Amino acid sequence: MSKYEVKKLLVNYKTLEEFKQFKEYGVQELSMLEDLQENMIENDSESPFYGIYYGDKLVARMSLYRIEAAYDQYFDPPQDYLELWKLEVLPHHQTKGLGRALVEFAKTFSLPIKTNGRQQSGSFWEKMDFEAVTYNQDRDRGQNPYVWYPTGVSEQRLA
């Protein structure tokens, strides 16, 4: 059990403001900002983001998207899976197990997980029991996918 509490992040201006401190601030956050400005989304809006707070400051975050089985090109048997993006821990909070806590939280959904490891992040993903997939140029398009297989799931062999 992790000593850190992972929370589903609300889609609101406070969360967006907190995201600005992360290096991977980009298109997803900007589209959230546009949604907020156009629709003034309430706090109960469905968010793909999860995070860990230190006091009242967001110090680690990730996004999880559920991908339907119809689009599964990674797992056997084909099934719904999670795509993990934007795993990031602020510099002063790294090496404290926050990234591990987020990944372990993602595993609690008991679905296979796919992520695209950044350069030099392979050893982190391997410590989290993820495996590099057999690279497929058509499917992976220059990305560096790592996957986590729950019990009974293996790599899908592409024809």
Side-chain angles (χ1 to χ4, degrees):
M1 187 69 193
S2 170
K3 61 183 174 178
Y4 300 107
E5 183 184 0
V6 176
K7 295 183 174 184
K8 188 168 186 87
L9 300 180
L10 301 174
V11 175
N12 60 24
Y13 285 109
K14 180 181 184 294
T15 300
L16 271 171
E17 203 51 43
E18 290 174 320
F19 280 178
K20 289 179 180 172
Q21 53 192 338
F22 290 88
K23 276 192 291 206
E24 289 280 308
Y25 182 81
V27 176
Q28 286 174 306
E29 291 85 351
L30 294 174
S31 71
M32 278 172 57
L33 180 60
E34 286 170 11
D35 287 348
L36 282 169
Q37 289 169 334
E38 286 174 23
N39 308 315
M40 285 308 292
I41 295 173
E42 296 300 320
N43 276 339
D44 62 356
S45 179
E46 199 56 32
S47 163
F49 286 98
Y50 295 84
I52 297 174
Y53 285 86
Y54 181 76
D56 62 354
K57 182 179 178 173
L58 181 66
V59 296
R61 63 133 190 216
M62 70 176 169
S63 62
L64 287 176
Y65 292 94
R66 188 175 181 126
I67 309 298
E68 294 178 19
Y71 302 102
D72 180 5
Q73 297 183 353
Y74 292 93
F75 303 103
D76 186 20
Q79 59 199 281
D80 286 9
Y81 67 95
L82 295 175
E83 198 156 275
L84 189 157
W85 290 89
K86 291 186 178 273
L87 177 68
E88 194 169 354
V89 178
L90 292 180
H92 291 357
H93 296 274
Q94 292 174 357
T95 71
K96 297 178 181 173
L98 296 167
R100 172 180 290 279
L102 286 170
V103 172
E104 293 298 334
F105 175 82
K107 290 178 179 180
T108 65
F109 289 91
S110 299
L111 290 170
I113 302 169
K114 175 200 167 254
T115 191
N116 291 306
R118 285 196 282 248
Q119 289 185 323
Q120 281 101 39
S121 69
S123 63
F124 170 79
W125 291 110
E126 288 162 9
K127 279 188 229 162
M128 298 294 106
D129 297 322
F130 279 64
E131 299 173 25
V133 297
T134 305
Y135 186 78
N136 177 292
Q137 188 169 344
D138 293 333
R139 176 191 67 191
D140 301 325
R141 296 190 191 99
Q143 294 181 336
N144 188 20
Y146 280 82
V147 293
W148 175 74
Y149 304 105
T151 304
V153 179
S154 60
E155 183 172 356
Q156 188 179 120
R157 298 285 173 219
L158 297 177

